[in-house]
PDB file of all heavy atoms in Angstrom:
ATOM      1  N   VAL A  23      -9.075   7.517   2.727  1.00 98.00           N
ATOM      2  CA  VAL A  23      -8.581   8.882   2.441  1.00 98.00           C
ATOM      3  C   VAL A  23      -8.781   9.761   3.752  1.00 98.00           C
ATOM      4  O   VAL A  23      -9.859   9.806   4.355  1.00 98.00           O
ATOM      5  CB  VAL A  23      -9.279   9.636   1.334  1.00 98.00           C
ATOM      6  CG1 VAL A  23      -8.981  11.078   1.292  1.00 98.00           C
ATOM      7  CG2 VAL A  23      -9.092   8.922   0.097  1.00 98.00           C
ATOM      8  N   TYR A  24      -7.746  10.366   4.231  1.00 98.00           N
ATOM      9  CA  TYR A  24      -7.707  11.090   5.515  1.00 98.00           C
ATOM     10  C   TYR A  24      -7.648  12.628   5.169  1.00 98.00           C
ATOM     11  O   TYR A  24      -6.729  12.974   4.472  1.00 98.00           O
ATOM     12  CB  TYR A  24      -6.497  10.767   6.395  1.00 98.00           C
ATOM     13  CG  TYR A  24      -6.592   9.259   6.656  1.00 98.00           C
ATOM     14  CD1 TYR A  24      -5.958   8.237   5.852  1.00 98.00           C
ATOM     15  CD2 TYR A  24      -7.225   8.781   7.816  1.00 98.00           C
ATOM     16  CE1 TYR A  24      -6.090   6.893   6.164  1.00 98.00           C
ATOM     17  CE2 TYR A  24      -7.389   7.338   8.115  1.00 98.00           C
ATOM     18  CZ  TYR A  24      -6.760   6.529   7.273  1.00 98.00           C
ATOM     19  OH  TYR A  24      -6.869   5.126   7.581  1.00 98.00           O
ATOM     20  N   VAL A  25      -8.575  13.341   5.645  1.00 98.00           N
ATOM     21  CA  VAL A  25      -8.656  14.817   5.420  1.00 98.00           C
ATOM     22  C   VAL A  25      -8.127  15.537   6.675  1.00 98.00           C
ATOM     23  O   VAL A  25      -8.780  15.378   7.769  1.00 98.00           O
ATOM     24  CB  VAL A  25     -10.024  15.281   4.968  1.00 98.00           C
ATOM     25  CG1 VAL A  25     -10.093  16.818   4.900  1.00 98.00           C
ATOM     26  CG2 VAL A  25     -10.444  14.612   3.663  1.00 98.00           C
ATOM     27  N   SER A  26      -7.119  16.307   6.587  1.00 98.00           N
ATOM     28  CA  SER A  26      -6.600  17.101   7.757  1.00 98.00           C
ATOM     29  C   SER A  26      -7.703  18.033   8.238  1.00 98.00           C
ATOM     30  O   SER A  26      -8.617  18.409   7.530  1.00 98.00           O
ATOM     31  CB  SER A  26      -5.385  17.983   7.332  1.00 98.00           C
ATOM     32  OG  SER A  26      -4.302  17.162   7.028  1.00 98.00           O
ATOM     33  N   GLY A  27      -7.581  18.415   9.538  1.00 97.00           N
ATOM     34  CA  GLY A  27      -8.502  19.322  10.155  1.00 97.00           C
ATOM     35  C   GLY A  27      -8.713  20.555   9.290  1.00 97.00           C
ATOM     36  O   GLY A  27      -7.743  21.249   8.859  1.00 97.00           O
ATOM     37  N   GLN A  28      -9.936  20.893   8.961  1.00 97.00           N
ATOM     38  CA  GLN A  28     -10.365  22.048   8.064  1.00 97.00           C
ATOM     39  C   GLN A  28     -10.866  23.113   8.900  1.00 97.00           C
ATOM     40  O   GLN A  28     -11.667  22.867   9.842  1.00 97.00           O
ATOM     41  CB  GLN A  28     -11.282  21.622   6.936  1.00 97.00           C
ATOM     42  CG  GLN A  28     -10.719  20.557   6.016  1.00 97.00           C
ATOM     43  CD  GLN A  28      -9.543  21.053   5.197  1.00 97.00           C
ATOM     44  OE1 GLN A  28      -9.620  22.114   4.533  1.00 97.00           O
ATOM     45  NE2 GLN A  28      -8.434  20.338   5.337  1.00 97.00           N
ATOM     46  N   VAL A  29     -10.388  24.327   8.741  1.00 97.00           N
ATOM     47  CA  VAL A  29     -10.860  25.518   9.462  1.00 97.00           C
ATOM     48  C   VAL A  29     -11.623  26.426   8.610  1.00 97.00           C
ATOM     49  O   VAL A  29     -11.554  26.309   7.337  1.00 97.00           O
ATOM     50  CB  VAL A  29      -9.584  26.199  10.165  1.00 97.00           C
ATOM     51  CG1 VAL A  29      -8.939  25.225  11.125  1.00 97.00           C
ATOM     52  CG2 VAL A  29      -8.614  26.650   9.065  1.00 97.00           C
ATOM     53  N   PRO A  30     -12.327  27.422   9.174  1.00 98.00           N
ATOM     54  CA  PRO A  30     -13.166  28.182   8.383  1.00 98.00           C
ATOM     55  C   PRO A  30     -12.535  29.359   7.670  1.00 98.00           C
ATOM     56  O   PRO A  30     -12.834  30.613   7.834  1.00 98.00           O
ATOM     57  CB  PRO A  30     -14.302  28.747   9.296  1.00 98.00           C
ATOM     58  CG  PRO A  30     -13.489  28.819  10.654  1.00 98.00           C
ATOM     59  CD  PRO A  30     -12.492  27.639  10.509  1.00 98.00           C
ATOM     60  N   VAL A  31     -11.542  29.009   6.658  1.00 96.00           N
ATOM     61  CA  VAL A  31     -10.951  30.096   5.876  1.00 96.00           C
ATOM     62  C   VAL A  31     -11.398  29.980   4.393  1.00 96.00           C
ATOM     63  O   VAL A  31     -11.598  28.895   3.967  1.00 96.00           O
ATOM     64  CB  VAL A  31      -9.397  29.980   5.951  1.00 96.00           C
ATOM     65  CG1 VAL A  31      -8.851  30.302   7.410  1.00 96.00           C
ATOM     66  CG2 VAL A  31      -8.889  28.749   5.518  1.00 96.00           C
ATOM     67  N   GLY A  32     -11.528  31.133   3.786  1.00 95.00           N
ATOM     68  CA  GLY A  32     -11.970  31.043   2.336  1.00 95.00           C
ATOM     69  C   GLY A  32     -10.725  30.897   1.562  1.00 95.00           C
ATOM     70  O   GLY A  32      -9.578  30.765   1.997  1.00 95.00           O
ATOM     71  N   SER A  33     -10.918  30.900   0.291  1.00 89.00           N
ATOM     72  CA  SER A  33      -9.785  30.660  -0.677  1.00 89.00           C
ATOM     73  C   SER A  33      -8.711  31.839  -0.580  1.00 89.00           C
ATOM     74  O   SER A  33      -7.621  31.611  -0.968  1.00 89.00           O
ATOM     75  CB  SER A  33     -10.333  30.713  -2.145  1.00 89.00           C
ATOM     76  OG  SER A  33     -11.075  31.830  -2.438  1.00 89.00           O
ATOM     77  N   ASP A  34      -9.059  32.978   0.049  1.00 92.00           N
ATOM     78  CA  ASP A  34      -8.110  34.048   0.239  1.00 92.00           C
ATOM     79  C   ASP A  34      -7.289  33.875   1.567  1.00 92.00           C
ATOM     80  O   ASP A  34      -6.477  34.686   1.798  1.00 92.00           O
ATOM     81  CB  ASP A  34      -8.879  35.391   0.327  1.00 92.00           C
ATOM     82  CG  ASP A  34      -9.962  35.506   1.442  1.00 92.00           C
ATOM     83  OD1 ASP A  34     -10.106  34.448   2.106  1.00 92.00           O
ATOM     84  OD2 ASP A  34     -10.625  36.451   1.586  1.00 92.00           O
ATOM     85  N   GLY A  35      -7.623  32.746   2.339  1.00 90.00           N
ATOM     86  CA  GLY A  35      -6.828  32.461   3.418  1.00 90.00           C
ATOM     87  C   GLY A  35      -7.282  33.238   4.710  1.00 90.00           C
ATOM     88  O   GLY A  35      -6.684  33.157   5.756  1.00 90.00           O
ATOM     89  N   VAL A  36      -8.432  33.932   4.577  1.00 95.00           N
ATOM     90  CA  VAL A  36      -8.976  34.782   5.676  1.00 95.00           C
ATOM     91  C   VAL A  36     -10.080  33.991   6.319  1.00 95.00           C
ATOM     92  O   VAL A  36     -10.953  33.432   5.633  1.00 95.00           O
ATOM     93  CB  VAL A  36      -9.360  36.115   5.203  1.00 95.00           C
ATOM     94  CG1 VAL A  36     -10.073  36.886   6.255  1.00 95.00           C
ATOM     95  CG2 VAL A  36      -8.225  36.852   4.586  1.00 95.00           C
ATOM     96  N   VAL A  37     -10.147  34.020   7.613  1.00 96.00           N
ATOM     97  CA  VAL A  37     -11.311  33.478   8.388  1.00 96.00           C
ATOM     98  C   VAL A  37     -12.623  34.162   7.950  1.00 96.00           C
ATOM     99  O   VAL A  37     -12.657  35.400   7.987  1.00 96.00           O
ATOM    100  CB  VAL A  37     -11.134  33.541   9.866  1.00 96.00           C
ATOM    101  CG1 VAL A  37     -12.302  33.009  10.641  1.00 96.00           C
ATOM    102  CG2 VAL A  37      -9.875  32.787  10.354  1.00 96.00           C
ATOM    103  N   VAL A  38     -13.596  33.327   7.610  1.00 96.00           N
ATOM    104  CA  VAL A  38     -14.851  33.908   7.185  1.00 96.00           C
ATOM    105  C   VAL A  38     -15.555  34.662   8.395  1.00 96.00           C
ATOM    106  O   VAL A  38     -15.352  34.296   9.563  1.00 96.00           O
ATOM    107  CB  VAL A  38     -15.894  32.842   6.762  1.00 96.00           C
ATOM    108  CG1 VAL A  38     -15.378  32.228   5.449  1.00 96.00           C
ATOM    109  CG2 VAL A  38     -16.196  31.781   7.738  1.00 96.00           C
ATOM    110  N   THR A  39     -16.278  35.709   8.045  1.00 92.00           N
ATOM    111  CA  THR A  39     -16.964  36.492   9.081  1.00 92.00           C
ATOM    112  C   THR A  39     -18.307  35.720   9.411  1.00 92.00           C
ATOM    113  O   THR A  39     -18.758  34.972   8.601  1.00 92.00           O
ATOM    114  CB  THR A  39     -17.211  37.932   8.581  1.00 92.00           C
ATOM    115  OG1 THR A  39     -17.996  37.831   7.465  1.00 92.00           O
ATOM    116  CG2 THR A  39     -15.996  38.677   8.315  1.00 92.00           C
ATOM    117  N   GLY A  40     -18.755  36.126  10.579  1.00 94.00           N
ATOM    118  CA  GLY A  40     -20.014  35.533  11.000  1.00 94.00           C
ATOM    119  C   GLY A  40     -19.804  34.527  12.182  1.00 94.00           C
ATOM    120  O   GLY A  40     -18.612  34.413  12.686  1.00 94.00           O
ATOM    121  N   GLY A  41     -20.820  33.805  12.492  1.00 97.00           N
ATOM    122  CA  GLY A  41     -20.885  32.835  13.600  1.00 97.00           C
ATOM    123  C   GLY A  41     -20.682  31.475  13.304  1.00 97.00           C
ATOM    124  O   GLY A  41     -20.122  31.156  12.214  1.00 97.00           O
ATOM    125  N   ILE A  42     -21.185  30.550  14.093  1.00 98.00           N
ATOM    126  CA  ILE A  42     -20.951  29.181  13.936  1.00 98.00           C
ATOM    127  C   ILE A  42     -21.552  28.708  12.688  1.00 98.00           C
ATOM    128  O   ILE A  42     -21.071  27.785  11.916  1.00 98.00           O
ATOM    129  CB  ILE A  42     -21.544  28.361  15.129  1.00 98.00           C
ATOM    130  CG1 ILE A  42     -21.058  26.932  14.993  1.00 98.00           C
ATOM    131  CG2 ILE A  42     -22.988  28.509  15.298  1.00 98.00           C
ATOM    132  CD1 ILE A  42     -19.584  26.609  15.108  1.00 98.00           C
ATOM    133  N   VAL A  43     -22.729  29.229  12.207  1.00 98.00           N
ATOM    134  CA  VAL A  43     -23.401  28.727  10.978  1.00 98.00           C
ATOM    135  C   VAL A  43     -22.463  29.002   9.722  1.00 98.00           C
ATOM    136  O   VAL A  43     -22.225  28.169   8.992  1.00 98.00           O
ATOM    137  CB  VAL A  43     -24.824  29.395  10.800  1.00 98.00           C
ATOM    138  CG1 VAL A  43     -25.359  29.204   9.370  1.00 98.00           C
ATOM    139  CG2 VAL A  43     -25.722  28.903  11.852  1.00 98.00           C
ATOM    140  N   GLU A  44     -22.051  30.273   9.549  1.00 98.00           N
ATOM    141  CA  GLU A  44     -21.144  30.618   8.510  1.00 98.00           C
ATOM    142  C   GLU A  44     -19.808  29.868   8.567  1.00 98.00           C
ATOM    143  O   GLU A  44     -19.324  29.418   7.488  1.00 98.00           O
ATOM    144  CB  GLU A  44     -20.859  32.131   8.500  1.00 98.00           C
ATOM    145  CG  GLU A  44     -22.135  32.990   8.200  1.00 98.00           C
ATOM    146  CD  GLU A  44     -22.990  33.181   9.477  1.00 98.00           C
ATOM    147  OE1 GLU A  44     -22.566  32.720  10.562  1.00 98.00           O
ATOM    148  OE2 GLU A  44     -24.052  33.709   9.276  1.00 98.00           O
ATOM    149  N   GLN A  45     -19.321  29.715   9.722  1.00 98.00           N
ATOM    150  CA  GLN A  45     -17.977  29.025   9.844  1.00 98.00           C
ATOM    151  C   GLN A  45     -18.149  27.543   9.577  1.00 98.00           C
ATOM    152  O   GLN A  45     -17.293  26.839   8.910  1.00 98.00           O
ATOM    153  CB  GLN A  45     -17.392  29.260  11.205  1.00 98.00           C
ATOM    154  CG  GLN A  45     -16.832  30.558  11.303  1.00 98.00           C
ATOM    155  CD  GLN A  45     -15.829  30.771  12.435  1.00 98.00           C
ATOM    156  OE1 GLN A  45     -15.322  29.922  13.047  1.00 98.00           O
ATOM    157  NE2 GLN A  45     -15.465  32.129  12.682  1.00 98.00           N
ATOM    158  N   THR A  46     -19.264  26.866   9.947  1.00 98.00           N
ATOM    159  CA  THR A  46     -19.523  25.520   9.674  1.00 98.00           C
ATOM    160  C   THR A  46     -19.715  25.328   8.170  1.00 98.00           C
ATOM    161  O   THR A  46     -19.139  24.311   7.599  1.00 98.00           O
ATOM    162  CB  THR A  46     -20.742  24.988  10.446  1.00 98.00           C
ATOM    163  OG1 THR A  46     -20.509  25.081  11.857  1.00 98.00           O
ATOM    164  CG2 THR A  46     -20.982  23.514  10.204  1.00 98.00           C
ATOM    165  N   GLU A  47     -20.461  26.184   7.545  1.00 98.00           N
ATOM    166  CA  GLU A  47     -20.658  26.043   6.059  1.00 98.00           C
ATOM    167  C   GLU A  47     -19.262  26.042   5.381  1.00 98.00           C
ATOM    168  O   GLU A  47     -18.962  25.276   4.402  1.00 98.00           O
ATOM    169  CB  GLU A  47     -21.525  27.253   5.551  1.00 98.00           C
ATOM    170  CG  GLU A  47     -22.990  27.048   5.854  1.00 98.00           C
ATOM    171  CD  GLU A  47     -23.717  25.934   5.069  1.00 98.00           C
ATOM    172  OE1 GLU A  47     -23.091  25.289   4.174  1.00 98.00           O
ATOM    173  OE2 GLU A  47     -24.828  25.797   5.459  1.00 98.00           O
ATOM    174  N   GLN A  48     -18.345  27.077   5.735  1.00 98.00           N
ATOM    175  CA  GLN A  48     -17.055  27.143   5.088  1.00 98.00           C
ATOM    176  C   GLN A  48     -16.116  25.874   5.410  1.00 98.00           C
ATOM    177  O   GLN A  48     -15.497  25.386   4.493  1.00 98.00           O
ATOM    178  CB  GLN A  48     -16.376  28.398   5.598  1.00 98.00           C
ATOM    179  CG  GLN A  48     -15.014  28.608   4.928  1.00 98.00           C
ATOM    180  CD  GLN A  48     -15.167  28.945   3.508  1.00 98.00           C
ATOM    181  OE1 GLN A  48     -15.836  29.808   3.032  1.00 98.00           O
ATOM    182  NE2 GLN A  48     -14.474  28.045   2.596  1.00 98.00           N
ATOM    183  N   VAL A  49     -16.155  25.514   6.657  1.00 98.00           N
ATOM    184  CA  VAL A  49     -15.367  24.275   7.024  1.00 98.00           C
ATOM    185  C   VAL A  49     -15.794  23.037   6.211  1.00 98.00           C
ATOM    186  O   VAL A  49     -15.021  22.341   5.668  1.00 98.00           O
ATOM    187  CB  VAL A  49     -15.580  24.043   8.565  1.00 98.00           C
ATOM    188  CG1 VAL A  49     -14.993  22.576   8.835  1.00 98.00           C
ATOM    189  CG2 VAL A  49     -14.753  24.942   9.292  1.00 98.00           C
ATOM    190  N   LEU A  50     -17.212  22.818   6.110  1.00 98.00           N
ATOM    191  CA  LEU A  50     -17.616  21.683   5.338  1.00 98.00           C
ATOM    192  C   LEU A  50     -17.364  21.789   3.845  1.00 98.00           C
ATOM    193  O   LEU A  50     -17.132  20.806   3.198  1.00 98.00           O
ATOM    194  CB  LEU A  50     -19.051  21.359   5.628  1.00 98.00           C
ATOM    195  CG  LEU A  50     -19.247  20.869   7.162  1.00 98.00           C
ATOM    196  CD1 LEU A  50     -20.794  20.704   7.445  1.00 98.00           C
ATOM    197  CD2 LEU A  50     -18.502  19.676   7.388  1.00 98.00           C
ATOM    198  N   SER A  51     -17.431  22.985   3.341  1.00 98.00           N
ATOM    199  CA  SER A  51     -17.052  23.237   1.963  1.00 98.00           C
ATOM    200  C   SER A  51     -15.507  22.937   1.803  1.00 98.00           C
ATOM    201  O   SER A  51     -15.137  22.359   0.762  1.00 98.00           O
ATOM    202  CB  SER A  51     -17.223  24.715   1.612  1.00 98.00           C
ATOM    203  OG  SER A  51     -16.808  25.049   0.280  1.00 98.00           O
ATOM    204  N   ASN A  52     -14.633  23.294   2.797  1.00 98.00           N
ATOM    205  CA  ASN A  52     -13.280  23.044   2.645  1.00 98.00           C
ATOM    206  C   ASN A  52     -13.014  21.452   2.782  1.00 98.00           C
ATOM    207  O   ASN A  52     -12.136  20.954   2.102  1.00 98.00           O
ATOM    208  CB  ASN A  52     -12.511  23.741   3.792  1.00 98.00           C
ATOM    209  CG  ASN A  52     -12.492  25.288   3.587  1.00 98.00           C
ATOM    210  OD1 ASN A  52     -12.990  25.780   2.540  1.00 98.00           O
ATOM    211  ND2 ASN A  52     -12.107  25.919   4.651  1.00 98.00           N
TER     212      ASN A  52
END
Side-chain angles (χ1 to χ4, degrees):
V23 173
Y24 301 88
V25 173
S26 292
Q28 298 296 303
V29 297
V31 297
S33 58
D34 58 1
V36 175
V37 174
V38 297
T39 58
I42 190 64
V43 170
E44 294 81 6
Q45 288 198 8
T46 301
E47 288 287 357
Q48 184 65 56
V49 164
L50 293 176
S51 176
N52 293 349

